[in-house]
Amino acid sequence: MADVVPMMEAYLPMMKATAMVTAAELGVFHHLHRGPTTADDAATALGASAMGMRTLLDGLTAFGLLTREGTRYANTPFIRDHFTPSAKSDFTPGLLWTAEAWKIMEGLTEAVRRGGPAVTMWEQMRTRPRMGELFSRYMEAFASHPYLPKRVLSMRVFAESAMYKKATGAGTDGLSINEVDTRVAALL
């Protein structure tokens, strides 16, 4: 890692995730699933500015998520296989959920200082129904993915941990991290 630029280790993954979430919110990956298209055509179809769409599509291409031939953009196999209607499990709801999760994470510094969130995720879901719907759709996609059943079971084990229960405001009793690690290792 001698050639690492320290801030790029934080900045670039954030930019990639932001571009992916924006693409999901606008419907870019689903639109490109119909076939390669230009930035102008995508902008018109998705209700965005041509310049903004071109910038987004170029960014997604730079991150290796889209391809570009001439002026036409297309999904890569990775996007096709995970974020479109032809995917075994379309994880678009996970990207949409990420946008909601970022709103929760905005208060992380204060939650760490305080020892927990001011409002738990579950309480937020009661006041913001779309958040709960997206979380459910994301978990359905996650649970149905052919490669992830063991990881879903691992998440269930983690949900039994004292750490998770405290972080979500569901109490303090639960499995220790060592118990979680042991159970997850047995699953995987």
Side-chain angles (χ1 to χ4, degrees):
M1 294 192 88
D3 295 334
V4 171
V5 177
M7 272 312 298
M8 290 300 141
E9 293 300 304
Y11 184 72
L12 289 177
M14 181 270 305
M15 292 300 294
K16 181 177 182 178
T18 303
M20 290 179 74
V21 167
T22 299
E25 289 178 321
L26 293 172
V28 170
F29 300 142
H30 282 215
H31 180 73
L32 292 176
H33 178 68
R34 298 180 190 123
T37 192
T38 65
D40 289 347
D41 289 345
T44 299
L46 301 173
S49 76
M51 185 174 78
M53 184 61 66
R54 189 172 300 101
T55 301
L56 175 63
L57 297 180
D58 285 343
L60 292 165
T61 301
F63 284 121
L65 301 168
L66 299 180
T67 60
R68 180 177 169 189
E69 286 190 33
T71 61
R72 300 177 73 74
Y73 297 85
N75 290 326
T76 60
F78 172 78
I79 293 298
R80 179 197 64 226
D81 294 346
H82 300 290
F83 299 101
T84 69
S86 66
K88 290 179 182 174
S89 295
D90 182 356
F91 279 94
T92 301
L95 293 174
L96 298 172
W97 162 252
T98 298
E100 295 296 322
W102 283 338
K103 295 171 188 164
I104 296 169
M105 298 306 287
E106 287 174 355
L108 182 59
T109 302
E110 286 307 311
V112 169
R113 287 183 177 131
R114 203 176 24 255
V119 179
T120 68
M121 180 176 77
W122 309 113
E123 291 168 340
Q124 289 188 42
M125 283 187 193
R126 279 195 294 276
T127 62
R128 293 170 43 205
R130 176 164 164 73
M131 186 178 170
E133 175 210 335
L134 289 172
F135 183 77
S136 294
R137 288 179 46 216
Y138 172 40
M139 290 296 103
E140 287 170 14
F142 194 76
S144 68
H145 193 279
Y147 307 120
L148 297 178
K150 291 180 180 180
R151 277 142 181 95
V152 171
L153 294 174
S154 297
M155 289 177 63
R156 289 182 181 156
V157 171
F158 181 70
E160 296 175 28
S161 72
M163 175 191 288
Y164 178 82
K165 289 181 178 183
K166 184 177 180 182
T168 59
T172 57
D173 294 332
L175 300 173
S176 71
I177 290 303
N178 288 338
E179 291 171 309
V180 170
D181 287 346
T182 299
R183 290 186 185 187
V184 167
L187 285 170
L188 301 176

